[in-house]
Amino acid sequence: MLSLDGSHGVVLAADLNVTHATVALCDLAGRPLAETVHELRLTDGPEPLLRWVEQRWRHLLDAAGVGADRVLGLGVGVPGPVDVATGRVVHHTPALPGWRDFPLRDHLERQFGVVCVVDNDANAMALGEYHAEQPAASPLLFVKVATGIGAGVVVDGHVLRGADGAEGDLGHVRIASAEHGPPCVCGARGCLAASASGRALARVLREQGEDVPDSRSVVELALTGHAEATRLVREAGLVVGDVLATAVSLLNPRVLALGGDLALAQDHFVSAVCERLYQRTQPQAARGLRVVASGLGHRAGVVGAARLALEEVLSAEAVDRALAGRRQPVP
Ligand SMILES: [Zn+2]
């Protein structure tokens, strides 16, 4: 039996969120060796954010005593539609002003001289969850509910990709009952994210005088037993479950993994999604379905981003190239 020497090199991973980011140094098995979480705002634009990511990565390498020559690849997850072939955010999204068409991948590859893979955060999380927690669960549907709402699907170990990088953008699915509700960040009314995202719940609670700046603080408040926060998180779970009933009927997944801030409120959010899902799905599609909170929790994003990098670093083509580079010339 052969197995990979996980300590031969490292990959650097970044999971960028609207209000915070996690950066990690991982071994070649995708296990985080060191990681740090920081608050930041993606609305500041790509250049300062990427400078920050580079600094944090170099800091992690220094602190772990790992030379930059041992970095074999980079993986980055961003909360928006990404064209993986070019490593760019491809559509305008209000959460990422100024990011569209910015050469994210090329910029980082220049800085570190190694391959970089950029993907949508929910795709990365789905891939990380599949390989680290649910290796036999195909198809796996991963849904992230945090500031926004997004989804990724993994079939037989591979991310299922759409035609234009917009797959899994569940947040802007229209809910008929919310037609006259508050406007979404995209400008439309009735989007799922306008009534069930962490951003939407935080806004409702702020209007009631609570100090909840973001998605994470909504969940923290619900976990203290706050009646209104609990009710809102549960209500969001029911609405998300409604939309996911369609996704489950379409895909017949083996596992639905829920991630992002709201999934931390398992008893309120995850159980509400489950409840609605089983009410609205045909027994045939739901019988073998397991609905779980992400086993990776807040690490799903970086573990997934590391996995993206590893798929590239350890691909047959990349290994062939590396071997060809080492081969001694024939005398
Ligand atoms: Zn919208």
Side-chain angles (χ1 to χ4, degrees), residues 179-261:
E179 239 173 24
H180 304 292
C184 179
V185 283
C186 73
R189 278 182 198 274
C191 291
L192 176 64
S195 50
S197 66
R199 178 194 273 125
L201 304 194
R203 193 197 54 240
V204 174
L205 287 165
R206 279 200 301 275
E207 284 166 6
Q208 297 175 8
E210 298 294 342
D211 176 25
V212 280
D214 53 23
S215 175
R216 179 64 58 94
S217 47
V218 170
V219 174
E220 284 166 358
L221 191 61
L223 291 175
T224 65
H226 186 280
E228 182 62 1
T230 308
R231 189 189 68 78
L232 287 170
V233 167
R234 182 178 145 72
E235 197 61 36
L238 294 175
V239 181
V240 169
D242 241 343
V243 170
L244 290 183
T246 307
V248 164
S249 299
L250 185 67
L251 293 166
N252 183 205
R254 177 60 63 228
V255 164
L256 163 62
L258 297 164
D261 295 329

Side-chain angles (χ1 to χ4, degrees), residues 298-316:
H298 69 277
R299 283 179 147 179
V302 275
V303 170
R307 189 78 212 182
L308 288 171
L310 287 170
E311 302 247 300
E312 190 60 37
V313 168
L314 302 176
S315 68

